Every structure is written in C-alpha cells, then in structure tokens.
Amino acid sequence: MEEIKLIVDGKRLDGRDFEELRPIKIEAGVLKRADGSCYLEMGKNKVVAAVYGPREVHPKHLEDPSMAIVRYRYNMAPFSVEDRKRPGPDRRSIEISKVSREALEPVIMKELFPRSAIDIFVEVLQADAGSRTACLNAASVALVDAGIPMKGMVASVAVAKVDGVLVLDPMKEEDNYGEADIPFAFLIRNGKIESITLLQMDGRVTAEELRRALELAKKGAMQIYQLQREAIMRKYIKEKEVVE
Amino acid sequence: MISRKIVLPGDLVSTNPKTAGPGTYVEGGKVYARVLGLLDKTDLGVRIIPLKGRYIPSLGDTVIGIVKEVTANGWIVDINSPYIAFLPIPENPAMKPNRKPNDVLDIGDAIIAKVMNIDPKMKVTLTMKDKLCRPIRVGRIVAINPTRVPRVIGKKGSMIKLLKSELDIQIIVGQNGLIWLNGDRRKVSIAEEAIYIIEQEAHTEGLTDRITEFIKKRKVELGLAEPEEVGKTETEQAEVPEEFKENEEKKVEEAEESVTETENAGEKSESKAKECQLEERR
C-alpha cells in the first residue's frame, strides 16, 4: 500500500493544496425539454441533471395527498468508467439515489404541491471520484432553474484521508488508495450553512479528524455555493445582455 | 421601470415577517426567498416574481385545456399543470339532455374554461358557464411558460391591447400559459412570434416598445403594411374579425348539429384543431 505516494512535497498528485477544490464548471438550463437542468464538471466528473415537475404522479398509488413526492435517479453511463459499467440500476446507484433524495427532500417545499411528483434525473457521463457530490450540486442548480420552491440550496463536497492527511474533494487515485472518504452535503441559506443533509463515510477516521473534515468540507461547500449562484445568475443576465 | 434584483431560494429578502408576500417564506422571524425570481420590494411588502415554474390552478382563472378523457358525467381536461381538471356535464352549456358527452366534446378538443373550484386535495373543477368560455375549433394555440403570462397581458392589459389593436386578431390568454389566437393567418403568425419574444425577454425592460417596433417591422416584411396600403388594409381588416366571429359561431353550430357532416368549414376547423395540438406540443 505504501508504494503509492499520494502526497509529494506537501502537494497532491494533481498539484493541488490539501484544501483546494478541483476546477468546477457549471452551466444551468442546458436541456430544452426539462423544466430545469444543469451540466456540471467537477474535475474529471461530468454530470447532467434534469428536473421535471411538479407533475402528475405515475404510477398513481405513489401519490401522497398531503405533499409532493420527490424521486431522484442517479445513473452512470456505461462509458463513464474505464471498464464498461453494466447499464441499469445496481446496488450502488440505488443507494446513492436514496441518500441523495434524502439530502434534497428537507430543502424542497413539498407541502406546496400535494398529489404531485418532482422528478430529478442525474446522469454521470464521466466519473472520477465524488460523483455523488457532483450530482447533488448539479441537481440543486437544476431544481432552482426549474423554479421549484426551496428553503435554500444544497452544496456538496467530499473530504478524504490520504497518507494521514485530510484533503478536500478527492480525485480518483486518492479515493481508491486513500484511508477514508467522507461525502458531505449542506443546506445553505443566505450564504450561511444551516444544516448537514448528507454525511456518509467509507473507511476510518478519529472523532477529531471527522470534526476537522467537517470544517474543511464547509469551506469547500461555500466555494461551490458561490459557483452555483453564479451559474444561475449568468443564465439570466446573459439573456438580459442579448436584448441590449 | 426599475431594474429588479434576481434572487435565489434561501436569500434573505426582509427582516420584517409582516411584509412576507408570495414567493417568500418566514423562518425564525426572517423572510427568505423560496423561488428563483425577481425581487419586488415595496412599502406594501416583499414578493418574488418567479422566473420559472409550473401553473398551479387558482380560483377564477381562465385556462385553455385539452380534453383527455370523456366520462359519463363529464370531461377530464389537461390544463398544462401538475393537476388534471374535471369539467362536469352540468357546467357545459352546450350539453343538452339528448346528447352524448362525446358528441359535444371529444378527446383532443381544446376548450377555454374557468376554474370553478379547487378542493384541498387539489381536485380542480372547471366551468364553461361564462361568455368567454367556448370550445376552440379555429385559430391557433401557443404555449409559453406560465410564469410569463403576466408579461403577455401587460400592465392593466397594455401588452394584449397592443397586440390586438396592431394586428386585429382575437386573443385569449389562459393563465396556464396557453394562448389562443384567431384571425388572419399571417397576423396570427406575427402575434405568435411576438409572444415568443415576450416570453424570452419577460424579465427585461422596455418590452412594450420593442414589441411595437417588431410588429411594425414584421407587418412590412410580410406585405401587410406597405406605406401606401396602410389605410386600405386596415379598413379591410376592421371588418374581418366580425366575419371571423360569425364564421366561428356558424362552424360551432354546424359542428354541434352534425358532427359527421364534413363540410368545407368543418374540414378546415378540424385541420386547424390538429394544427393547434401540434402547436401546443411544441
């Protein structure tokens, strides 16, 4: 295990600092047919999110008379990883769909749309560690773009423990050969982190390290939140400029 | 008009919970935005003008719907919303005791109706007992984002008046984002283009002036308003709407009296109805 050095001279393999995010590119409203959509690149991750709704629930028996139901589908394209991924839902993607849905549910004001469904589809075109965080970031922007009432926005980032050091937003090598991987998602309201909506952990860290990881993730999430805002603003300000 | 700030969900818009208006929510004594939209802050309160979103029915709205299903006691109507609507037989004045519901309105027919009732489970009931309400057999239906409907209507109906007076066509705007246009084909096309521009640029300023310019330009391009012919075409057109109205009523009556009879007018209206559907899908 120790043959692979993930940290050389205080820098990570891709030259980043420990607290540095991968380059992020966000574009809102890329799909015409969806109510809201978003294309997001987070390092080598490339994901597309589409939001439909609120709309009629099919099949009918899933309907909730008191609030909207939220459905989240995380799906990886067969070509998103080096070895071909067998298409269709598997144990991993079903789990990610569930936790991601639960991360978004408290943010969406479901009680405003009884007997309806809000469908969120996220496709991973290219995966490179932390794809669930990339998907959540994209889904959050797509939800805003769809005009769905929400308490705030969700920003998500992972922290990994690599060679005994906590690093922000791990890439593939760090994820595969690191000691721990902890994805976080936060509800951000008015530029402040209000609560944690997703926290998973793969590997082992001490309680103290987890505390520090949380602080690190908060910093990263705030940067992502700013980029998400800019992406949405850009879409509408661009429209404004075209007119002038 | 002052340029309004774009706000995102969760942005703090006011610290006085009493001012909270549509598109906001209150938590911990503070008012936050809950949708993406433009911030409208006045002395009366704070509200967010949404930029995106589906149509949520509200009482008394005029809507344009497509019949999805015919049942023994009414019609199920798609009103371009998360909720389907129901038009009971007694609420359609065209329904006579000796007629079957599917002779009056069949699947795929478009109607203009009003929202009569919404129950807490969001079951929507429509009525056609209003002089505005009618089945649509001629003309064209244009679909836009429902949040942009107020801009198409304009302040106190200024935009819709502009379209009507400049183009001499009938327009009925459904609150659900479907708009019915009827009149001269070329003029309807101009109106359609104008409506799409309004939809696209709804959150910008000086829109009415730009639309006026656009209509004038298009009219000249389509040869509807050559400088010499202006007076002539307008006098001609002034008579057209009434004829159209008459034709339409006749067609409706014909259709009611003998549905199987395929007269020229009937055929036309049928093909137009199909056109409507296509438009709508787009």
Side-chain angles (χ1 to χ4, degrees):
Chain A
M1 279 295 271
E2 286 306 304
E3 290 141 39
I4 309 157
K5 271 263 176 248
L6 291 167
I7 291 175
V8 186
D9 302 334
K11 290 269 185 190
R12 295 204 251 161
L13 286 185
D14 54 2
R16 278 188 291 160
D17 283 330
F18 302 150
E19 301 188 2
E20 197 177 337
L21 291 168
R22 289 174 287 184
I24 294 174
K25 188 187 143 196
I26 311 178
E27 198 179 331
V30 289
L31 305 174
K32 192 168 167 282
R33 306 225 41 158
D35 292 313
S37 57
C38 174
Y39 172 75
L40 183 140
E41 280 179 22
M42 208 168 152
K44 286 180 197 155
N45 284 305
K46 292 182 179 175
V47 302
V48 183
V51 170
Y52 292 84
R55 63 178 179 183
E56 267 180 80
V57 188
H58 285 293
K60 270 270 177 278
H61 66 88
L62 294 176
E63 205 171 81
D64 186 328
S66 62
M67 62 173 87
I69 60 163
V70 177
R71 290 183 287 201
Y72 187 103
R73 189 179 103 126
Y74 167 98
N75 187 42
M76 284 176 92
F79 51 81
S80 63
V81 279
E82 272 170 41
D83 302 314
R84 185 184 118 97
K85 188 213 168 260
R86 219 177 109 90
D90 52 12
R91 199 209 90 258
R92 180 177 167 275
S93 67
I94 292 168
E95 180 201 304
I96 291 176
S97 299
K98 180 186 177 288
V99 294
S100 304
R101 190 191 74 232
E102 286 169 354
L104 290 171
E105 270 183 326
V107 186
I108 298 169
M109 297 178 139
K110 300 187 289 178
E111 63 288 349
L112 295 172
F113 307 104
R115 298 202 309 124
S116 68
I118 295 164
D119 288 319
I120 306 159
F121 300 98
V122 198
E123 295 289 321
V124 180
L125 305 179
Q126 185 171 289
D128 184 72
S131 64
R132 78 195 64 189
T133 62
C135 285
L136 266 174
N137 291 331
S140 177
V141 172
L143 279 166
V144 174
D145 184 40
I148 288 171
M150 294 195 288
K151 290 199 172 113
M153 282 179 76
V154 171
S156 176
V157 71
V159 173
K161 189 181 170 191
V162 168
D163 289 357
V165 191
L166 290 173
V167 295
L168 187 64
D169 193 17
M171 77 272 194
K172 199 178 172 205
E173 292 76 11
E174 292 167 337
D175 187 27
N176 288 356
Y177 306 107
E179 292 144 60
D181 174 28
I182 316 161
F184 291 92
F186 302 99
L187 161 56
I188 301 183
R189 184 166 66 185
N190 197 33
K192 280 195 286 289
I193 288 172
E194 292 282 329
S195 56
I196 299 170
T197 62
L198 179 143
L199 199 166
Q200 289 180 290
M201 185 160 81
D202 176 14
R204 235 184 244 201
V205 293
T206 63
E208 175 51 30
E209 276 170 331
L210 183 64
R211 225 165 276 132
R212 279 197 288 132
L214 178 62
E215 289 310 311
L216 197 55
K218 278 183 177 174
K219 275 186 204 159
M222 283 311 294
Q223 291 175 41
I224 292 170
Y225 172 67
Q226 288 306 329
L227 293 166
Q228 286 174 316
R229 280 190 78 94
E230 280 167 27
I232 295 160
M233 293 296 191
R234 213 182 302 129
K235 189 192 161 193
Y236 288 96
I237 287 160
K238 197 166 70 192
E239 273 181 32
K240 241 178 189 171
E241 275 169 0
V242 167
V243 178
E244 286 151 11
Chain B
M1 219 167 72
I2 359 111
S3 145
R4 293 192 176 108
K5 203 176 127 205
I6 299 173
V7 288
L8 302 186
D11 288 1
L12 184 73
V13 290
S14 171
T15 44
N16 181 2
K18 280 177 191 161
T19 58
T24 63
Y25 72 100
V26 182
E27 209 174 283
K30 284 179 178 166
V31 186
Y32 300 96
R34 72 179 181 203
V35 287
L36 165 69
L38 299 172
L39 179 64
D40 181 23
K41 211 169 180 179
T42 58
D43 302 335
L44 295 166
V46 187
R47 67 180 181 125
I48 314 290
I49 304 161
L51 288 170
K52 276 281 200 85
R54 287 281 174 106
Y55 168 67
I56 303 301
S58 84
L59 223 59
D61 278 359
T62 306
V63 294
I64 295 177
I66 311 284
V67 176
K68 262 175 75 182
E69 214 176 304
V70 186
T71 66
N73 38 18
W75 297 268
I76 293 170
V77 185
D78 177 12
I79 52 165
N80 194 25
S81 142
Y83 307 107
I84 49 158
F86 184 69
L87 173 67
I89 277 180
E91 293 303 327
N92 187 351
M95 192 65 196
K96 303 275 152 49
N98 56 346
R99 302 183 64 195
K100 287 179 187 160
N102 55 352
D103 291 337
V104 178
L105 285 174
D106 208 350
I107 292 169
D109 284 356
I111 55 163
I112 300 168
K114 284 206 159 170
V115 178
M116 186 176 73
N117 187 36
I118 304 165
D119 83 347
K121 287 179 190 159
M122 294 306 281
K123 292 220 158 74
V124 182
T125 317
L126 299 177
T127 179
M128 283 180 78
K129 282 180 180 165
D130 192 282
K131 65 171 188 274
L132 204 66
C133 299
R134 66 192 78 169
I136 299 171
R137 314 244 188 235
V138 289
R140 202 181 290 186
I141 296 174
V142 180
I144 61 158
N145 188 333
T147 54
R148 311 289 163 98
V149 164
R151 279 322 289 270
V152 174
I153 294 169
K155 258 186 204 147
K156 287 175 190 158
S158 60
M159 188 68 84
I160 203 88
K161 269 183 203 153
L162 172 80
L163 289 173
K164 277 180 180 166
S165 62
E166 283 285 328
L167 293 164
D168 260 323
I169 53 171
Q170 281 181 287
I171 307 174
I172 291 178
V173 183
Q175 289 297 318
N176 58 345
L178 300 185
I179 301 165
W180 176 64
L181 307 167
N182 186 29
D184 183 273
R185 258 170 183 273
R186 287 171 299 178
K187 290 186 171 179
V188 165
S189 299
I190 298 175
E192 189 185 339
E193 285 170 45
I195 287 168
Y196 286 138
I197 292 177
I198 299 169
E199 185 195 12
Q200 282 265 302
E201 302 172 5
H203 56 290
T204 59
E205 294 146 43
L207 193 56
T208 317
D209 300 335
R210 280 206 304 283
I211 295 298
T212 318
E213 260 174 55
F214 170 80
I215 292 172
K216 284 192 175 137
K217 202 182 90 200
R218 290 293 291 155
K219 265 162 99 175
V220 173
E221 275 171 24
L222 290 174
L224 285 168
E226 295 287 345
E228 305 89 40
E229 287 179 10
V230 169
K232 209 173 132 194
T233 40
E234 266 175 14
T235 44
E236 272 176 9
Q237 244 78 53
E239 289 160 23
V240 171
E242 283 167 36
E243 276 175 40
F244 259 100
K245 266 183 208 166
E246 277 169 22
N247 282 347
E248 189 209 329
E249 274 161 31
K250 264 186 217 159
K251 277 173 200 165
V252 172
E253 276 164 25
E254 277 160 16
E256 279 167 4
E257 273 156 28
S258 57
V259 181
T260 44
E261 204 177 288
T262 47
E263 240 182 304
N264 263 350
E267 267 176 11
K268 256 185 207 167
S269 67
E270 251 180 40
S271 66
K272 273 184 183 170
K274 270 174 201 162
E275 200 182 295
C276 289
Q277 283 170 39
L278 287 174
E279 290 296 345
E280 201 265 325
R281 265 177 217 142
R282 246 188 271 150

